């Protein structure tokens, strides 16, 4: 028995935040942002739109494209660092309610930008161990709700959106998720964090005054570790599966920064046409970035049934992971 990537769906909020808009907000320029990150626009959720609203929209599409009834979903794993509610209930529970799915196992995971790949690892194990049959895996973020629009080192990067996939049982090896790797190194916990509001610094006037509830990032240090880890991770998973970059149809990395993607792509010798790029239009949407990119490739007819996707991600924690996945949507 194998787990297969049965479908994809995504949701992008309507409102765009351009580099020119950001020039009016912080000391930055369109030129700097494009040159250092490759980002041109990012989409920002409406004030009343939540992470679960966006996740719901993406999930509806994924379930429809999977050709199953919503009641066949027996688990929902939702990756996010911007849940509707801090602590509880989980955003996955809210999505289940919006989809009118009763009785499924639902929970959120926190692995920052690696959340979608981590969720895939769990969905694969749940299915291969015969614990679950159809797992809805979602990456959804309203990063605008935890971004400080006075901090130019973070606000130019992040955007909002959601992506979802249905992972289902199959007997056909040609449709299988071949392998997933997921790892971390907590020594680097403070390179990317939201310091306030947890048990270490519970919410207080002081944490609010010190703006401790926003994402803080040591961008340059993170960058250096990201390029190294993302490259090593791909080499490892390809070697473990006796594959080379030539066997991969689509390289779909986390969309954090064009320079990071370009470094890894050229080092691993993936041709440009095999590399999926959405960072220019969506920015970095953390756990939503990879499923949004898969959806983009699919809707642009750049991804078809049977293609071998190589996913590669890196994020706060620090966490990282990669996956070799056959695209099994018919
Ligand atoms: N506009 C203009 N200048 C800026 C801006 C800006 N928006 N931001 C920083 N600068 C300045 C800095 O102040 C610095 O100025 P100085 O030389 O006078 O001190 C200069 O630009 C260079 O700053 P760096 O931080 O070295 O810039 P860098 O080229 O590293 O780019 C960036 C910054 C885009 C954040 C990059 O480091 C990056 O992409 N890092 C990795 C992000 C990542 O992968 N995160 C993990 C996933 S995210 C997650 O898990 C939620």
């Amino acid at each position: 028995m194998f787990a297969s990537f049965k479908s994809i769906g995504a949701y992008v909020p309507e409102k765009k935040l351009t580099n020119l808009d950001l020039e009016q907000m912080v000391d930055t320029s369109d030129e700097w942002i494009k040159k250092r990150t490759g980002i041109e626009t990012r989409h920002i959720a409406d004030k009343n739109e939540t992470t679960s609203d966006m996740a719901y929209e993406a999930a509806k599409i994924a379930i429809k494209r999977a050709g199953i009834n919503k009641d066949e979903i027996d688990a929902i794993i939702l990756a996010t660092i911007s849940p509707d509610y801090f602590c509880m209930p989980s955003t996955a529970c809210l999505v289940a309610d919006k989809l009118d799915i009763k009785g499924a196992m639902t929970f959120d995971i926190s692995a920052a930008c690696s959340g979608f790949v981590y969720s895939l690892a769990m969905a694969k194990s749940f299915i291969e161990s015969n614990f679950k049959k159809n797992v809805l895996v979602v990456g959804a973020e309203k990063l605008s709700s935890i971004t400080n629009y006075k901090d130019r080192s973070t606000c130019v990067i992040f955007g909002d959106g959601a992506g979802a996939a249905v992972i289902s049982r199959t007997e056909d090896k040609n449709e299988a998720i071949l392998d997933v790797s997921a790892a971390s190194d907590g020594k680097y916990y403070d390179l990317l964090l939201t310091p306030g509001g947890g048990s270490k610094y519970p919410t207080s006037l002081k944490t609010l005054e010190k703006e401790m509830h926003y994402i803080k990032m040591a961008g340059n240090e993170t960058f250096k570790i990201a390029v190294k880890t993302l490259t090593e991770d791909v080499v490892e998973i390809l070697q473990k599966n006796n594959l080379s970059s030539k066997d991969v149809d689509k390289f779909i990395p986390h969309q954090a920064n064009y320079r990071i993607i370009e470094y890894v792509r050229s080092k691993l010798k993936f041709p440009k046409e095999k590399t999926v790029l959405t960072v220019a239009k969506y920015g970095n949407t953390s756990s939503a970035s990879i499923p949004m990119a898969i959806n983009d490739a699919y809707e642009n007819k750049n991804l078809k049934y049977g293609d071998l996707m190589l996913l590669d991600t890196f994020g706060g924690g620090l966490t990282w992971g990669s996956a070799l996945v056959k695209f099994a949507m018919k």
Side-chain angles (χ1 to χ4, degrees):
M1 190 189 324
F2 306 99
S4 78
F5 197 100
K6 270 316 252 188
S7 69
I8 189 71
Y11 173 79
V12 187
E14 223 173 277
K15 188 180 155 197
K16 281 185 191 173
L17 182 67
T18 66
N19 293 349
L20 298 180
D21 295 331
L22 285 158
E23 281 186 1
Q24 309 301 311
M25 297 156 75
V26 285
D27 180 15
T28 192
S29 66
D30 176 45
E31 193 197 348
W32 190 95
I33 302 171
K34 275 197 213 144
K35 195 166 154 216
R36 307 303 293 172
T37 72
I39 301 169
E40 291 168 22
T41 55
R42 63 292 291 140
H43 289 248
I44 302 293
D46 187 69
K47 198 166 140 265
N48 300 316
E49 196 169 34
T50 63
T51 297
S52 70
D53 290 332
M54 292 187 280
Y56 165 66
E57 295 298 336
K60 265 195 308 192
I61 300 169
I63 294 169
K64 188 162 181 237
R65 286 177 178 167
I68 59 168
N69 186 292
K70 64 171 176 60
D71 297 316
E72 294 176 73
I73 303 278
D74 48 9
I76 301 178
I77 309 175
L78 189 143
T80 189
I81 53 167
S82 47
D84 286 23
Y85 297 100
F86 185 53
C87 304
M88 59 184 168
S90 73
T91 305
C93 263
L94 304 173
V95 173
D97 183 50
K98 284 175 184 168
L99 290 167
D100 193 26
I101 291 175
K102 309 238 184 289
M105 174 191 193
T106 55
F107 61 98
D108 290 358
I109 70 146
S110 165
C113 304
S114 309
F116 187 77
V117 170
Y118 268 51
S119 304
L120 270 188
M122 278 185 273
K124 182 176 185 294
S125 310
F126 284 3
I127 288 167
E128 288 175 356
S129 62
N130 208 9
F131 178 48
K132 297 289 172 192
K133 285 196 183 85
N134 296 293
V135 185
L136 176 67
V137 170
V138 189
E141 303 286 4
K142 186 176 178 179
L143 294 179
S144 59
S145 67
I146 52 168
T147 298
N148 184 350
Y149 287 95
K150 287 184 278 177
D151 175 6
R152 70 176 181 172
S153 68
T154 52
C155 73
V156 301
I157 299 165
F158 296 115
D160 299 336
V166 173
I167 313 301
S168 298
R169 190 186 282 187
T170 181
E171 300 302 328
D172 183 354
K173 195 166 186 232
N174 294 321
E175 291 192 342
I177 297 175
L178 303 183
D179 199 5
V180 186
S181 84
S184 71
D185 190 345
K187 166 172 84 197
Y188 299 111
Y189 77 95
D190 60 349
L191 293 187
L192 252 162
L193 82 170
T194 45
S199 62
K200 189 167 172 78
Y201 300 111
T203 307
S204 66
L205 258 183
K206 203 167 146 200
T207 62
L208 291 170
E209 276 163 13
K210 288 184 144 184
E211 301 185 325
M212 290 168 71
H213 299 265
Y214 293 124
I215 303 173
K216 314 258 184 224
M217 180 168 76
N220 200 265
E221 286 90 326
T222 311
F223 188 101
K224 287 179 201 147
I225 304 171
V227 288
K228 186 169 176 286
T229 311
L230 284 162
T231 312
E232 287 172 358
D233 215 28
V234 166
V235 171
E236 228 171 82
I237 200 166
L238 286 174
Q239 273 176 1
K240 191 177 155 215
N241 289 278
N242 295 319
L243 294 168
S244 82
S245 48
K246 288 197 183 103
D247 299 308
V248 173
D249 297 302
K250 286 288 169 283
F251 176 50
I252 311 183
H254 170 46
Q255 308 285 314
N257 183 320
Y258 177 71
R259 284 189 297 138
I260 298 178
I261 298 171
E262 191 48 25
Y263 176 92
V264 179
R265 183 198 70 74
S266 57
K267 194 98 188 155
L268 297 166
K269 300 190 171 48
F270 285 113
K272 276 197 170 154
E273 59 278 11
K274 279 191 176 182
T275 307
V276 177
L277 278 173
T278 56
V279 67
K281 55 182 181 179
Y282 301 146
N284 178 347
T285 57
S286 192
S287 65
S289 130
I290 286 184
M292 284 171 77
I294 297 173
N295 186 70
D296 219 69
Y298 169 71
E299 290 191 352
N300 288 322
K301 304 203 179 338
N302 190 22
L303 179 68
K304 57 178 192 320
Y305 175 82
D307 278 352
L308 179 61
M309 306 187 284
L310 173 57
L311 316 180
D312 191 19
T313 194
F314 180 86
L318 296 174
T319 55
W320 59 90
S322 56
L324 282 165
V325 181
K326 285 275 188 179
F327 187 65
M329 190 166 97
K330 283 182 175 149

